[in-house]
Amino acid sequence: MSTKEKGVKDRILETAVRLFQTQGYGNTGINQIIQESQTAKASFYDYYPSKDLLGKAYIEFYGKEQIILLEKLRSRSQNARDFIQAWTHILKRQTRNSEFAGCPMANTAAQIASSSPSISEEVKKLVLRTVEFLSIYLKEMQKKGQIPKNADTQSLARKIFACYEGVLQIWKLTGKISALDDLPEMVDAIIKSSGKK
């Protein structure tokens, strides 16, 4: 792919990412993406023959960004509490941005229901990859004695991810940013109870 072609494809995806995140996947039409990306209709369809393929590319893009963010937080955090506090801080900063509409995975999956198997599959892969990342991180913390030795880190990672999604949904439903402050407390409680039989 030439530099010019890559530029057009990237411009389309960047526009779609911005619009999907602010308006939602279901509320964004291809014509708006074509217009705002200043792309010829034929060129658009050369790169993305369907909205589903663009939606899949959007989830892939978000997934890479999510893992990069989590890697940065892991490298800067001394322990699981610091990691969750830093993640919460970033979520709060994002919610203050009027263009942030919550978790792209959950939002897109909710909007498409089961009408797009390729996007649904991409969302599943990203959720599993995120949970796996958290599980590996928790195993590292377990080796350092910060997580109970008998805790099932895979189960713990799923619960933490559920808390993350839950506080974002409560924020979306209520408009109260304070909902995000529950994340560190919930994760703390889950970690403390994880070693109990």
Side-chain angles (χ1 to χ4, degrees), residues 10 17 29 31 40 54 68 71 76 112 115 131 161 167 192 197:
D10 288 348
V17 166
N31 287 335
L54 183 56
I68 288 168
E71 284 285 1
R76 295 177 185 166
I112 63 160
S115 64
V131 169
F161 185 76
V167 297
K192 283 177 183 165
K197 292 288 182 180

Side-chain angles (χ1 to χ4, degrees), residues 22-117:
T22 57
Q23 299 176 175
Y25 178 83
N27 295 327
T28 304
I30 287 176
N31 287 335
Q32 183 183 11
I33 296 166
I34 289 169
Q35 182 182 3
E36 293 196 24
S37 66
Q38 299 176 340
T39 305
K41 196 170 239 184
S43 294
F44 175 90
Y45 285 107
D46 282 344
Y47 299 113
Y48 299 103
S50 70
K51 188 177 176 187
D52 273 11
L53 288 175
L54 183 56
K56 184 175 182 274
Y58 163 60
I59 296 298
E60 288 171 350
F61 172 85
Y62 171 72
K64 287 176 191 165
E65 295 292 308
Q66 172 90 331
I67 297 301
I68 288 168
L69 170 67
L70 294 176
E71 284 285 1
K72 282 182 185 174
L73 295 180
R74 178 169 77 178
S75 69
R76 295 177 185 166
S77 302
Q78 295 295 314
N79 54 49
R81 178 176 255 295
D82 290 348
F83 176 87
I84 297 297
Q85 289 282 8
W87 200 6
T88 302
H89 178 74
I90 286 169
L91 291 174
K92 288 176 82 171
R93 191 172 64 216
Q94 288 174 326
T95 56
R96 287 187 187 102
N97 175 352
S98 62
E99 295 181 352
F100 182 69
C103 175
M105 290 179 287
N107 292 345
T108 305
Q111 290 171 21
I112 63 160
S114 58
S115 64
S116 175

Side-chain angles (χ1 to χ4, degrees), residues 106 156 185:
L156 194 52
E185 188 179 323

Side-chain angles (χ1 to χ4, degrees), residues 107-174:
N107 292 345
T108 305
Q111 290 171 21
I112 63 160
S114 58
S115 64
S116 175
S118 64
I119 295 175
S120 294
E121 192 56 39
E122 201 57 41
V123 168
K124 282 181 202 170
K125 280 196 255 179
L126 178 53
V127 169
L128 293 173
R129 197 162 55 238
T130 304
V131 169
E132 186 59 25
F133 175 91
L134 291 171
S135 177
I136 290 167
Y137 174 69
L138 292 167
K139 280 180 188 165
E140 290 170 10
M141 294 299 102
Q142 201 171 38
K143 287 177 186 170
K144 292 180 178 180
Q146 296 177 16
I147 305 283
K149 284 188 181 355
N150 61 339
D152 176 350
T153 56
Q154 189 71 28
S155 171
L156 194 52
R158 280 195 312 273
K159 290 173 185 172
I160 290 171
F161 185 76
C163 290
Y164 158 78
E165 287 294 346
V167 297
L168 279 176
Q169 289 304 314
I170 292 169
W171 161 70
K172 278 184 64 179
L173 293 168
T174 65

